[in-house]
Amino acid sequence: MQYGPAVRRRKLGAELRALRARTGLTSGEAARLVGWHQSKVSRIETGASGVKPADVRLLLDAYGVAEAQLRELLLVLAGSHDGGRDHWWHAYRGVLPPTYRDFISLESQASAMRTLETSVVPGLLQTPEYARAVTRAAVEGLEEERLDALVEVRLARQDVLRAQSPLELTAVLDEAVLRREVGGPDVMARQLRRLVDAGRLPQVRLQVLPFSAGAHIGITGPFVILSFPSTSDLDVVVLDHMTSSLYLERKEDLQAYSEAFNTLQIHALSPEDSLDFIAGIGDGA
């Protein structure tokens, strides 16, 4: 299932229902506050119908929700890619597919990201040269102008690590990520140094899963778990495919992938040993 209208509606409806319950209002009382029929509130809360961002604002005002970050996230789920204001990625709407815009919107609101990478360096930690080489390889026949734009987007996304309240990034990297020469030896050497520098940041935790660990639970492919500051009900697992992204939001999926990530961390090198390991590969490059 893609993180499209149906999943958006369910997640948004569940959160709005929880916020209403927190105020002690019935669905009928909430409807009267905003001038609607009770059935409209019920349809929104069950995900049976979509809701406009303007209607979400009405409900949030009625429920006394003032927290800006939560309001913005719920507006994103309502289909407002800018959360009620323009964000930097708005300028790239002609370049980015909707699923990628969804991911960037959610990433910008997340408080934490856990990711397993089996082939390439996480986008949030890529150097410009590495990002260009990876993007060129991933999308055949890419025009130079579009390539430039996609690299700009990749680098702009990294601002979440430098924000006032930065994203907490925990990444487990298969050793193949470090051994695969992307863009040539010089590009790879700079990328490895960038990883070491990033791993020393307080908001970044890197762990390497060495080849010596053998087969592991993440061998089927990479994944990302996004967590949000206001509610765990909005957490989501993202699986990337060649032509689309798959978003998993059931509690069972979140639990399974969270447990898998914990297992990977146990088998991976410690953060300190991982940085030494990366630096050692870089010195030999």
Side-chain angles (χ1 to χ4, degrees), residues 105-127:
S105 297
L106 293 171
E107 181 182 69
S108 72
Q109 297 302 312
S111 58
M113 175 190 289
R114 288 169 287 169
T115 180
L116 166 69
E117 291 291 350
T118 58
S119 298
V120 298
V121 170
L124 294 181
L125 301 178
Q126 292 178 7
T127 65

Side-chain angles (χ1 to χ4, degrees), residues 246-283:
L246 190 68
Y247 289 76
L248 308 177
E249 41 82 33
R250 297 186 310 160
K251 289 187 185 301
E252 307 95 290
D253 295 324
L254 289 165
Q255 181 177 352
Y257 277 89
S258 292
E259 290 175 355
F261 193 82
N262 292 340
T263 299
L264 290 166
Q265 286 189 287
I266 291 171
H267 291 289
L269 301 176
S270 70
E272 295 77 14
D273 289 343
S274 293
L275 294 186
D276 289 341
F277 190 87
I278 296 170
I281 295 177
D283 290 341

